[in-house]
mmCIF file of all heavy atoms in Angstrom:
data_model
loop_
_atom_site.group_PDB
_atom_site.id
_atom_site.type_symbol
_atom_site.label_atom_id
_atom_site.label_comp_id
_atom_site.label_asym_id
_atom_site.label_seq_id
_atom_site.Cartn_x
_atom_site.Cartn_y
_atom_site.Cartn_z
ATOM 1 N N MET V 29 40.715 -4.891 -40.407
ATOM 2 C CA MET V 29 39.406 -4.551 -40.977
ATOM 3 C C MET V 29 38.577 -5.819 -41.172
ATOM 4 O O MET V 29 37.370 -5.834 -40.899
ATOM 5 C CB MET V 29 39.571 -3.835 -42.335
ATOM 6 C CG MET V 29 40.250 -2.482 -42.232
ATOM 7 S SD MET V 29 40.582 -1.767 -43.860
ATOM 8 C CE MET V 29 39.022 -0.901 -44.153
ATOM 9 N N ALA V 30 39.223 -6.891 -41.628
ATOM 10 C CA ALA V 30 38.514 -8.159 -41.858
ATOM 11 C C ALA V 30 38.023 -8.753 -40.539
ATOM 12 O O ALA V 30 36.900 -9.273 -40.461
ATOM 13 C CB ALA V 30 39.423 -9.138 -42.591
ATOM 14 N N ILE V 31 38.847 -8.661 -39.503
ATOM 15 C CA ILE V 31 38.427 -9.171 -38.189
ATOM 16 C C ILE V 31 37.166 -8.448 -37.741
ATOM 17 O O ILE V 31 36.198 -9.053 -37.271
ATOM 18 C CB ILE V 31 39.568 -9.005 -37.152
ATOM 19 C CG1 ILE V 31 40.699 -9.997 -37.445
ATOM 20 C CG2 ILE V 31 39.044 -9.181 -35.720
ATOM 21 C CD1 ILE V 31 41.987 -9.738 -36.669
ATOM 22 N N GLN V 32 37.175 -7.117 -37.922
ATOM 23 C CA GLN V 32 36.005 -6.317 -37.548
ATOM 24 C C GLN V 32 34.763 -6.737 -38.355
ATOM 25 O O GLN V 32 33.670 -6.900 -37.788
ATOM 26 C CB GLN V 32 36.316 -4.833 -37.789
ATOM 27 C CG GLN V 32 35.268 -3.898 -37.239
ATOM 28 C CD GLN V 32 35.257 -3.889 -35.713
ATOM 29 O OE1 GLN V 32 36.274 -3.659 -35.095
ATOM 30 N NE2 GLN V 32 34.113 -4.175 -35.125
ATOM 31 N N LEU V 33 34.943 -6.927 -39.647
ATOM 32 C CA LEU V 33 33.817 -7.354 -40.495
ATOM 33 C C LEU V 33 33.328 -8.742 -40.096
ATOM 34 O O LEU V 33 32.116 -8.992 -40.037
ATOM 35 C CB LEU V 33 34.236 -7.342 -41.972
ATOM 36 C CG LEU V 33 34.368 -5.953 -42.607
ATOM 37 C CD1 LEU V 33 35.232 -6.006 -43.866
ATOM 38 C CD2 LEU V 33 32.995 -5.379 -42.944
ATOM 39 N N ASN V 34 34.267 -9.645 -39.803
ATOM 40 C CA ASN V 34 33.878 -11.001 -39.400
ATOM 41 C C ASN V 34 33.031 -10.977 -38.127
ATOM 42 O O ASN V 34 32.101 -11.772 -37.968
ATOM 43 C CB ASN V 34 35.120 -11.868 -39.181
ATOM 44 C CG ASN V 34 35.800 -12.262 -40.478
ATOM 45 O OD1 ASN V 34 35.148 -12.382 -41.523
ATOM 46 N ND2 ASN V 34 37.110 -12.449 -40.429
ATOM 47 N N VAL V 35 33.351 -10.058 -37.232
ATOM 48 C CA VAL V 35 32.576 -9.919 -35.997
ATOM 49 C C VAL V 35 31.234 -9.254 -36.283
ATOM 50 O O VAL V 35 30.172 -9.748 -35.888
ATOM 51 C CB VAL V 35 33.377 -9.097 -34.950
ATOM 52 C CG1 VAL V 35 32.499 -8.740 -33.754
ATOM 53 C CG2 VAL V 35 34.617 -9.857 -34.507
ATOM 54 N N ASP V 36 31.268 -8.127 -36.993
ATOM 55 C CA ASP V 36 30.053 -7.340 -37.210
ATOM 56 C C ASP V 36 28.994 -8.095 -38.024
ATOM 57 O O ASP V 36 27.798 -7.844 -37.864
ATOM 58 C CB ASP V 36 30.386 -6.028 -37.937
ATOM 59 C CG ASP V 36 31.160 -5.052 -37.052
ATOM 60 O OD1 ASP V 36 31.343 -5.347 -35.855
ATOM 61 O OD2 ASP V 36 31.593 -4.003 -37.567
ATOM 62 N N TYR V 37 29.443 -8.956 -38.923
ATOM 63 C CA TYR V 37 28.501 -9.666 -39.807
ATOM 64 C C TYR V 37 28.355 -11.143 -39.440
ATOM 65 O O TYR V 37 27.913 -11.948 -40.260
ATOM 66 C CB TYR V 37 28.918 -9.493 -41.273
ATOM 67 C CG TYR V 37 28.638 -8.093 -41.771
ATOM 68 C CD1 TYR V 37 29.549 -7.061 -41.540
ATOM 69 C CD2 TYR V 37 27.447 -7.784 -42.419
ATOM 70 C CE1 TYR V 37 29.286 -5.762 -41.961
ATOM 71 C CE2 TYR V 37 27.182 -6.489 -42.847
ATOM 72 C CZ TYR V 37 28.098 -5.487 -42.608
ATOM 73 O OH TYR V 37 27.825 -4.212 -43.026
ATOM 74 N N GLU V 38 28.697 -11.473 -38.203
ATOM 75 C CA GLU V 38 28.554 -12.847 -37.735
ATOM 76 C C GLU V 38 27.105 -13.313 -37.934
ATOM 77 O O GLU V 38 26.165 -12.551 -37.674
ATOM 78 C CB GLU V 38 28.929 -12.915 -36.243
ATOM 79 C CG GLU V 38 29.338 -14.282 -35.802
ATOM 80 C CD GLU V 38 29.589 -14.359 -34.302
ATOM 81 O OE1 GLU V 38 29.630 -13.311 -33.636
ATOM 82 O OE2 GLU V 38 29.736 -15.494 -33.823
ATOM 83 N N ASN V 39 26.950 -14.525 -38.392
ATOM 84 C CA ASN V 39 25.629 -15.126 -38.636
ATOM 85 C C ASN V 39 24.833 -14.458 -39.758
ATOM 86 O O ASN V 39 23.630 -14.650 -39.873
ATOM 87 C CB ASN V 39 24.780 -15.144 -37.355
ATOM 88 C CG ASN V 39 25.463 -15.929 -36.250
ATOM 89 O OD1 ASN V 39 26.059 -16.974 -36.512
ATOM 90 N ND2 ASN V 39 25.412 -15.413 -35.030
ATOM 91 N N ARG V 40 25.505 -13.652 -40.563
ATOM 92 C CA ARG V 40 24.845 -13.101 -41.754
ATOM 93 C C ARG V 40 25.659 -13.523 -42.974
ATOM 94 O O ARG V 40 26.790 -13.996 -42.841
ATOM 95 C CB ARG V 40 24.780 -11.575 -41.657
ATOM 96 C CG ARG V 40 23.802 -11.117 -40.575
ATOM 97 C CD ARG V 40 23.494 -9.645 -40.680
ATOM 98 N NE ARG V 40 24.464 -8.838 -39.966
ATOM 99 C CZ ARG V 40 24.504 -7.510 -40.032
ATOM 100 N NH1 ARG V 40 23.657 -6.851 -40.798
ATOM 101 N NH2 ARG V 40 25.402 -6.826 -39.343
ATOM 102 N N ASN V 41 25.095 -13.384 -44.139
ATOM 103 C CA ASN V 41 25.917 -13.646 -45.334
ATOM 104 C C ASN V 41 25.881 -12.434 -46.256
ATOM 105 O O ASN V 41 25.082 -12.329 -47.188
ATOM 106 C CB ASN V 41 25.545 -14.952 -46.034
ATOM 107 C CG ASN V 41 24.171 -14.946 -46.636
ATOM 108 O OD1 ASN V 41 23.260 -14.345 -46.087
ATOM 109 N ND2 ASN V 41 24.017 -15.585 -47.770
ATOM 110 N N PRO V 42 26.790 -11.495 -45.993
ATOM 111 C CA PRO V 42 26.790 -10.243 -46.739
ATOM 112 C C PRO V 42 27.188 -10.439 -48.206
ATOM 113 O O PRO V 42 27.813 -11.439 -48.572
ATOM 114 C CB PRO V 42 27.834 -9.397 -46.006
ATOM 115 C CG PRO V 42 28.721 -10.374 -45.329
ATOM 116 C CD PRO V 42 27.860 -11.538 -44.980
ATOM 117 N N LEU V 43 26.799 -9.434 -48.983
ATOM 118 C CA LEU V 43 27.203 -9.375 -50.390
ATOM 119 C C LEU V 43 28.218 -8.241 -50.519
ATOM 120 O O LEU V 43 27.890 -7.075 -50.311
ATOM 121 C CB LEU V 43 25.973 -9.107 -51.262
ATOM 122 C CG LEU V 43 26.182 -8.778 -52.736
ATOM 123 C CD1 LEU V 43 26.935 -9.878 -53.463
ATOM 124 C CD2 LEU V 43 24.827 -8.527 -53.404
ATOM 125 N N PHE V 44 29.460 -8.608 -50.788
ATOM 126 C CA PHE V 44 30.520 -7.609 -50.990
ATOM 127 C C PHE V 44 30.482 -7.157 -52.448
ATOM 128 O O PHE V 44 30.494 -7.983 -53.362
ATOM 129 C CB PHE V 44 31.894 -8.208 -50.699
ATOM 130 C CG PHE V 44 32.179 -8.433 -49.248
ATOM 131 C CD1 PHE V 44 31.802 -9.621 -48.629
ATOM 132 C CD2 PHE V 44 32.847 -7.470 -48.495
ATOM 133 C CE1 PHE V 44 32.078 -9.843 -47.280
ATOM 134 C CE2 PHE V 44 33.129 -7.685 -47.151
ATOM 135 C CZ PHE V 44 32.743 -8.869 -46.540
ATOM 136 N N GLU V 61 40.788 -12.792 -45.912
ATOM 137 C CA GLU V 61 40.720 -12.754 -44.446
ATOM 138 C C GLU V 61 39.279 -12.829 -43.926
ATOM 139 O O GLU V 61 39.057 -12.801 -42.722
ATOM 140 C CB GLU V 61 41.348 -11.456 -43.918
ATOM 141 C CG GLU V 61 42.738 -11.146 -44.436
ATOM 142 C CD GLU V 61 43.811 -12.018 -43.812
ATOM 143 O OE1 GLU V 61 43.569 -12.578 -42.718
ATOM 144 O OE2 GLU V 61 44.879 -12.151 -44.431
ATOM 145 N N ILE V 62 38.316 -12.856 -44.836
ATOM 146 C CA ILE V 62 36.903 -12.920 -44.427
ATOM 147 C C ILE V 62 36.496 -14.388 -44.305
ATOM 148 O O ILE V 62 36.711 -15.176 -45.236
ATOM 149 C CB ILE V 62 36.002 -12.186 -45.459
ATOM 150 C CG1 ILE V 62 36.309 -10.684 -45.487
ATOM 151 C CG2 ILE V 62 34.521 -12.428 -45.166
ATOM 152 C CD1 ILE V 62 35.928 -9.915 -44.244
ATOM 153 N N ASN V 63 35.956 -14.764 -43.150
ATOM 154 C CA ASN V 63 35.551 -16.161 -42.981
ATOM 155 C C ASN V 63 34.033 -16.328 -42.830
ATOM 156 O O ASN V 63 33.559 -17.285 -42.232
ATOM 157 C CB ASN V 63 36.311 -16.808 -41.818
ATOM 158 C CG ASN V 63 36.194 -15.986 -40.540
ATOM 159 O OD1 ASN V 63 35.157 -15.370 -40.300
ATOM 160 N ND2 ASN V 63 37.235 -15.976 -39.731
ATOM 161 N N LEU V 64 33.288 -15.370 -43.396
ATOM 162 C CA LEU V 64 31.832 -15.450 -43.407
ATOM 163 C C LEU V 64 31.378 -16.143 -44.688
ATOM 164 O O LEU V 64 32.077 -16.086 -45.694
ATOM 165 C CB LEU V 64 31.240 -14.034 -43.406
ATOM 166 C CG LEU V 64 31.663 -13.083 -42.306
ATOM 167 C CD1 LEU V 64 31.424 -11.653 -42.740
ATOM 168 C CD2 LEU V 64 30.901 -13.400 -41.031
ATOM 169 N N PRO V 65 30.186 -16.758 -44.678
ATOM 170 C CA PRO V 65 29.637 -17.201 -45.950
ATOM 171 C C PRO V 65 29.164 -15.958 -46.706
ATOM 172 O O PRO V 65 28.192 -15.325 -46.310
ATOM 173 C CB PRO V 65 28.462 -18.097 -45.543
ATOM 174 C CG PRO V 65 28.093 -17.654 -44.177
ATOM 175 C CD PRO V 65 29.280 -17.006 -43.550
ATOM 176 N N CYS V 66 29.890 -15.570 -47.717
ATOM 177 C CA CYS V 66 29.573 -14.298 -48.379
ATOM 178 C C CYS V 66 29.669 -14.446 -49.882
ATOM 179 O O CYS V 66 30.244 -15.397 -50.396
ATOM 180 C CB CYS V 66 30.525 -13.204 -47.903
ATOM 181 S SG CYS V 66 32.241 -13.527 -48.333
ATOM 182 N N ASP V 99 22.464 -7.726 -46.988
ATOM 183 C CA ASP V 99 23.406 -6.851 -46.307
ATOM 184 C C ASP V 99 24.562 -6.592 -47.270
ATOM 185 O O ASP V 99 25.323 -7.496 -47.611
ATOM 186 C CB ASP V 99 23.930 -7.516 -45.032
ATOM 187 C CG ASP V 99 22.830 -7.708 -44.004
ATOM 188 O OD1 ASP V 99 22.126 -6.713 -43.717
ATOM 189 O OD2 ASP V 99 22.665 -8.835 -43.503
ATOM 190 N N ILE V 101 28.034 -4.701 -48.518
ATOM 191 C CA ILE V 101 29.272 -4.018 -48.125
ATOM 192 C C ILE V 101 29.967 -3.584 -49.409
ATOM 193 O O ILE V 101 30.394 -4.421 -50.208
ATOM 194 C CB ILE V 101 30.193 -4.936 -47.301
ATOM 195 C CG1 ILE V 101 29.469 -5.441 -46.048
ATOM 196 C CG2 ILE V 101 31.486 -4.192 -46.918
ATOM 197 C CD1 ILE V 101 30.162 -6.613 -45.358
ATOM 198 N N SER V 127 20.681 -3.659 -45.609
ATOM 199 C CA SER V 127 21.613 -2.702 -45.002
ATOM 200 C C SER V 127 22.739 -2.424 -45.984
ATOM 201 O O SER V 127 23.004 -3.232 -46.880
ATOM 202 C CB SER V 127 22.196 -3.266 -43.701
ATOM 203 O OG SER V 127 23.119 -4.303 -43.980
ATOM 204 N N TYR V 149 33.899 1.460 -42.403
ATOM 205 C CA TYR V 149 35.210 0.806 -42.325
ATOM 206 C C TYR V 149 36.209 1.573 -43.176
ATOM 207 O O TYR V 149 36.068 1.645 -44.397
ATOM 208 C CB TYR V 149 35.107 -0.648 -42.799
ATOM 209 C CG TYR V 149 34.032 -1.413 -42.059
ATOM 210 C CD1 TYR V 149 32.744 -1.529 -42.590
ATOM 211 C CD2 TYR V 149 34.289 -1.963 -40.812
ATOM 212 C CE1 TYR V 149 31.751 -2.198 -41.893
ATOM 213 C CE2 TYR V 149 33.304 -2.633 -40.110
ATOM 214 C CZ TYR V 149 32.031 -2.745 -40.660
ATOM 215 O OH TYR V 149 31.060 -3.394 -39.966
#
Side-chain angles (χ1 to χ4, degrees):
M29 295 174 88
I31 288 168
Q32 189 69 54
L33 286 160
N34 287 331
V35 170
D36 290 354
Y37 287 84
E38 203 185 350
N39 301 320
R40 290 193 273 172
N41 66 325
L43 170 58
F44 287 87
E61 309 286 339
I62 295 292
N63 53 34
L64 305 159
C66 63
D99 294 309
I101 302 166
S127 72
Y149 306 95

